Amino acid sequence: MNPLDIARWQFGITTVYHFLFVPLTIGLSALVAGLQTAWVRTGKPHYLRATKFWGKLFMINFAMGIVTGIVQEFQFGMNWSAYSRFVGDIFGAPLAIEGLLAFFVESTFLGLWIFGWDRLPKRIHLACIWIVSVGTLLSAYFILAANSWMQHPVGYHLDTATGRARLTDFWAVLTNSTMLVAFPHTITAAFVTAGLFVVGISAWHLARGRHVEVFRPSLRMALVVTFVASLGVAVTGDQQGKVMTAQQPMKMAAAEALYTTEKPASFSIFTVGTLDGGREVFSVKVPGVLSFLATGHFDGKVLGIDDVQAAEQAKYGAGEYRPIVPLVYWNFRIMAGIGFLTAGIALLGLWLTRRGRLPANRWVWRAGVVSLTLPFIGNSAGWIFTEMGRQPWSVYGVLKTSASVSPGVGATSMFVSLLSLTVLYGVLLVIETRLLARYAKAGPPTEEEVLGGDDRAEPSLTFAY
């Protein structure tokens, strides 16, 4: 393997692992804030118990997100120094604001929330967790602004003297059309992730008849959030597909494994192609659906891979502009399929738990527990599709990935770094799993504990942080 391949593997592993925690903490912070609001408004102890229980799990994942995010940032200087020099003036601005403003707000007010029980007035303490939730949204916004610039570079010019991209319009970066569809899509997916996380753990306890007064309201709340957010994922995903088709036609063509231009274009439910992804062998298709996804019309024209390849060779010069088609194709279907599946699970769960009911069939609860994994798989597939579908570009149409890797770092150094990272993430995964299992199985504090008036006697509240 050459340095480029190793650097791509390392960054891909880091990004996917980090993104396991990001959407969960974004959504879970709002759910915890909602539960605490219900407690402040009603005074019912089970809402306070639920707040503290889910708050612990939120803190564990927040801490893991910080650790994996730091590792990701170091890779820009280590493995991708050529990229960092080229886009530093642009890419650095939203990331700096995210670190200095959004993350500072998150960490400061999370600290106040953790240590402020019975030390701050109720409503001020409640405001802290809501500010944390808003901070997670701001962090996501600025990070997605940076990523969206890679997908659709705007507000810059190329400095021919230095060979670097210079920022000319920061507002254009923050209001990038790609950003405006990527942000709501990512946030709605985050609420699906948090919703099914709560559903899965609640189902585990309810199957055993434990803490029903806490977990049934949590379950119902999470099912509603999951269903509404799943609809949001579908709507925003549809909008994102149309923007993507206009800006990156190769990505949409690869998502469908569409080799020749069609009008109208069918959407394939299942396709078998050659091993190199260069030709379709067999496919099961639904007429007109791809045209609608790409253009908003069932008879719209969708460019094929071969035609886009020819157009990009004419525009950018000789080269291979096709991504790994099977990888893009199947990750797109995993992402979309899980999106529809989560909506169905949430709707079924709401029906089965209507009017105070709890299903007696243990398979229902087992399905609820397993459903916890679905959004994590869907989120990972979505990011792999987004980033791999853009190849061979690190900045679409401007800078190729092959020109972005650090020129002075050899394959041996990168391989050692990759192995070290794999070991580190393995250790972190064990720690994360054990912490989550410990606190999730322990259940919420009792009513006597939460009404005891002294949370300083509850060391487990701060242990995870």
Side-chain angles (χ1 to χ4, degrees):
M1 296 176 69
N2 58 43
L4 175 61
D5 293 331
I6 300 173
R8 290 180 65 187
W9 269 104
Q10 182 167 338
F11 198 83
I13 292 170
T14 302
T15 300
V16 170
Y17 192 71
H18 175 59
F19 202 67
L20 294 176
F21 308 104
V22 172
L24 178 58
T25 54
I26 290 173
L28 200 54
S29 63
L31 297 188
V32 171
L35 287 167
Q36 187 171 350
T37 301
W39 170 64
V40 171
R41 288 177 62 87
T42 66
K44 295 180 178 179
H46 68 268
Y47 285 127
L48 178 57
R49 296 172 63 196
T51 299
K52 292 197 172 187
F53 175 76
W54 298 114
K56 291 177 186 178
L57 302 186
F58 163 69
M59 288 188 292
I60 294 171
N61 287 283
F62 186 86
M64 291 295 294
I66 294 173
V67 173
T68 54
I70 291 173
V71 174
Q72 187 178 34
E73 299 248 349
F74 275 111
Q75 289 185 84
F76 286 114
M78 183 182 70
N79 289 350
W80 303 100
S81 61
Y83 168 84
S84 299
R85 281 191 295 269
F86 183 81
V87 305
D89 291 349
I90 301 168
F91 204 72
L95 293 185
I97 294 175
E98 187 275 333
L100 296 175
L101 175 62
F103 180 71
F104 179 80
V105 168
E106 288 177 63
S107 55
T108 298
F109 283 92
L110 181 59
L112 289 172
W113 187 76
I114 292 171
F115 298 106
W117 290 98
D118 293 326
R119 294 173 176 84
L120 294 174
K122 277 185 179 181
R123 294 187 181 276
I124 293 178
H125 186 258
L126 171 63
C128 289
I129 190 63
W130 276 115
I131 293 172
V132 171
S133 181
V134 172
T136 64
L137 296 177
L138 289 174
S139 288
Y141 190 93
F142 288 115
I143 291 172
L144 285 171
N147 181 267
S148 295
W149 189 86
M150 298 167 64
Q151 309 289 339
H152 181 229
V154 295
Y156 79 103
H157 79 276
L158 289 176
D159 187 334
T160 55
T162 61
R164 298 174 62 178
R166 298 290 185 184
L167 180 64
T168 60
D169 189 347
F170 187 50
W171 182 248
V173 174
L174 293 182
T175 58
N176 190 340
S177 58
T178 303
M179 165 68 207
L180 295 180
V181 294
F183 179 73
H185 188 62
T186 303
I187 298 306
T188 50
F191 278 95
V192 172
T193 305
L196 284 181
F197 179 81
V198 173
V199 167
I201 295 175
S202 297
W204 189 88
H205 283 279
L206 290 172
R208 291 157 177 78
R210 301 176 57 191
H211 309 292
V212 176
E213 69 282 1
V214 172
F215 287 112
R216 190 181 188 283
S218 295
L219 177 70
R220 291 284 296 179
M221 173 196 68
L223 288 170
V224 171
V225 168
T226 301
F227 180 68
V228 174
S230 294
L231 297 181
V233 169
V235 173
T236 57
D238 176 69
Q239 294 300 313
Q240 191 172 22
K242 293 171 174 56
V243 172
M244 180 184 71
T245 301
Q247 296 173 354
Q248 298 182 31
M250 180 62 84
K251 185 183 289 186
M252 176 54 80
E256 177 50 32
L258 181 70
Y259 291 92
T260 58
T261 300
E262 293 184 6
K263 181 184 178 181
S266 302
F267 180 85
S268 65
I269 299 175
F270 180 81
T271 293
V272 176
T274 56
L275 291 177
D276 63 355
R279 182 173 55 85
E280 176 187 307
V281 176
F282 172 78
S283 183
V284 178
K285 298 183 176 182
V286 181
V289 174
L290 182 63
S291 290
F292 180 79
L293 292 175
T295 68
H297 304 283
F298 284 101
D299 61 348
K301 179 180 178 180
V302 182
L303 296 176
I305 293 172
D306 295 337
D307 292 321
V308 179
Q309 167 72 9
E312 297 208 345
Q313 282 185 329
K315 184 176 182 180
Y316 302 114
E320 179 59 72
Y321 297 96
R322 294 175 296 185
I324 303 174
V325 176
L327 187 65
V328 176
Y329 177 90
W330 286 111
N331 274 285
F332 180 77
R333 273 147 187 79
I334 292 171
M335 173 188 67
I338 286 178
F340 286 108
L341 183 58
T342 56
I345 289 172
L347 189 60
L348 179 61
L350 287 170
W351 171 257
L352 292 175
T353 57
R354 71 194 186 281
R355 299 177 182 175
R357 301 178 185 179
L358 287 176
N361 193 324
R362 295 188 66 86
W363 281 105
V364 172
W365 298 119
R366 290 173 182 172
V369 174
V370 172
S371 70
L372 183 153
T373 64
L374 293 178
F376 294 99
I377 298 171
N379 291 335
S380 298
W383 268 114
I384 293 171
F385 165 73
T386 299
E387 301 305 307
M388 292 297 293
R390 190 182 65 246
Q391 297 304 315
W393 303 102
S394 58
V395 180
Y396 188 78
V398 178
L399 180 69
K400 288 188 175 181
T401 306
S402 57
S404 303
V405 72
S406 299
V409 181
T412 301
S413 298
M414 287 190 181
F415 188 69
V416 171
S417 175
L418 176 61
L419 288 179
S420 302
L421 181 72
T422 303
V423 173
L424 171 64
Y425 279 175
V427 172
L428 289 177
L429 182 61
V430 172
I431 294 173
E432 161 79 2
T433 303
R434 289 178 66 88
L435 281 174
L436 283 178
R438 173 183 174 183
Y439 288 112
K441 289 182 178 180
T446 65
E447 186 172 326
E448 291 75 16
E449 288 172 335
V450 299
L451 297 179
D454 186 4
D455 287 296
R456 287 170 294 181
E458 189 184 2
S460 60
L461 185 65
T462 59
F463 174 77
Y465 186 76

